């Protein structure tokens, strides 16, 4: 498991590096956004710890750019912020961050967060089909199986072999919500409320960006969404029949 740490305050970067390396993670450190993008082009870390306040290009921009690069396995991105008010920017701007952490932090808690995110990555690399095991906590539709315990979703569509979907945590929540209620029409505000609760302050259209990203991973034919359908003038619904 490789972790890239992007933090311009060198002392903080060093503390993070030390506590993660002592837990057995391989870490690389860089101090600005440009270097982060360059490094990201050279190797693919499993997780990126990304400070928001960076000289030049800020962390949100770095996050957005990383999410725009198509790769086999999207890295998890944990944003660091020193201010509570940045949290709604992290969530609201749909930059694609998976989690955030407010500084000052306790190294132990940070390690716990990192572990929680990486556990998901380990599960996602399990062989396809393992979600078919007969356990509780599975939700199935014709083309999808959601494993709530393992926190993963697989697609088994027509003739294709089962495919594990690599989803961010908000995409996972969104997809679970849809699959639990096939045919139900959701307004944008309702989806936002379910995803982020009262933490959200911003444009309702933000949800469209998340839907677009989810469709890319879920739909076999992007031009003609089959599962996540737009309901004109209202919002979205999920159909799988
Ligand atoms: Ca900083």
């Amino acid at each position: 498991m490789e972790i890239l740490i992007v933090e311009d305050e060198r002392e903080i970067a060093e503390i993070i590096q030390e506590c993660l390396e002592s837990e057995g993670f391989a870490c690389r450190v860089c101090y600005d956004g440009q270097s982060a993008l360059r490094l990201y082009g050279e190797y693919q870390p499993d997780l990126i710890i990304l400070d928001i306040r960076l000289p030049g290009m800020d962390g949100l921009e770095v996050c957005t750019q990383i999410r725009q690069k198509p790769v086999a396995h999207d890295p998890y991105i944990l944003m660091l912020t020193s201010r509570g008010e940045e949290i709604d920017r992290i969530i609201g701007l749909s930059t694609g961050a998976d989690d955030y952490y407010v500084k000052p932090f306790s190294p132990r808690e940070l390690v716990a967060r990192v572990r929680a995110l990486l556990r998901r990555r380990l599960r996602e690399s399990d062989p396809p089909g393992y979600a078919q095991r007969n356990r509780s906590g599975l939700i199935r539709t014709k083309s999808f199986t959601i494993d709530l315990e393992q926190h993963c979703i697989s697609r088994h569509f027509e003739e294709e072999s089962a495919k594990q979907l690599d989803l961010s945590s908000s995409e996972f929540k969104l997809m679970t919500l849809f699959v639990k209620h096939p045919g139900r029409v959701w307004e944008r505000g309702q989806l936002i409320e379910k995803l982020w609760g009262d933490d959200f302050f911003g444009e309702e259209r933000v949800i469209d960006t998340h839907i677009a990203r989810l469709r890319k991973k879920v739909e076999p034919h992007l031009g003609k969404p089959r599962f996540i359908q737009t309901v004109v003038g209202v919002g979205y619904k999920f159909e799988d029949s």
Side-chain angles (χ1 to χ4, degrees), residues 7-9 51 53 103:
E7 163 66 275
D8 61 309
E9 287 157 89
D51 187 35
R53 307 253 164 149
K103 296 191 280 190

Side-chain angles (χ1 to χ4, degrees), residues 44-144:
Q44 269 159 26
D46 299 286
L47 183 138
I48 302 175
I49 294 179
L50 185 56
D51 187 35
I52 289 203
R53 307 253 164 149
L54 295 168
M57 184 190 301
D58 75 8
L60 292 170
E61 177 60 25
V62 175
C63 185
T64 306
Q65 292 209 21
I66 284 174
R67 286 299 189 225
Q68 282 165 359
K69 293 178 199 244
V71 289
H73 269 298
D74 277 340
Y76 287 109
I77 298 181
L78 176 64
M79 306 279 321
L80 294 182
T81 170
S82 42
R83 293 166 172 230
E85 74 250 30
E86 282 172 339
I87 292 169
D88 43 282
R89 289 181 67 210
I90 300 174
I91 309 172
L93 283 176
S94 5
T95 45
D98 294 291
D99 201 357
Y100 58 86
Y101 198 89
V102 182
K103 296 191 280 190
F105 54 83
S106 97
R108 235 182 58 203
E109 214 182 310
L110 184 71
V111 168
R113 290 282 183 105
V114 164
R115 284 197 180 286
L117 283 172
L118 289 178
R119 264 199 296 277
R120 285 183 49 200
R121 164 56 45 86
L122 284 174
R123 284 198 291 269
E124 279 159 6
S125 50
D126 283 352
Y130 83 107
Q132 313 298 325
R133 282 193 311 241
N134 193 14
R135 282 192 281 103
S136 57
L138 296 185
I139 306 171
R140 291 173 197 270
T141 66
K142 203 168 143 219
S143 314
F144 296 92

Side-chain angles (χ1 to χ4, degrees), residues 11 13-14 40-41 60 117 132 140 168 171-172 175 183 230:
E11 278 178 19
E14 208 170 287
Y40 181 68
L60 292 170
L117 283 172
Q132 313 298 325
R140 291 173 197 270
S168 73
E171 289 159 0
F172 180 87
M175 191 59 190
T230 304

Side-chain angles (χ1 to χ4, degrees), residues 174 177-178 183-192 204-209 211-212 215 225 227-239:
L174 200 52
L177 198 59
F178 279 139
R184 169 171 175 175
V185 178
W186 296 90
E187 293 172 14
R188 288 179 178 78
Q190 292 173 323
L191 292 173
I192 285 169
E204 283 196 348
R205 289 274 161 186
V206 151
I207 204 74
D208 298 352
T209 320
I211 294 281
R215 275 178 173 158
F227 301 115
I228 301 169
Q229 300 175 4
T230 304
V231 182
V232 178
V234 187
Y236 298 97
K237 68 172 178 176
F238 171 82
E239 291 284 2

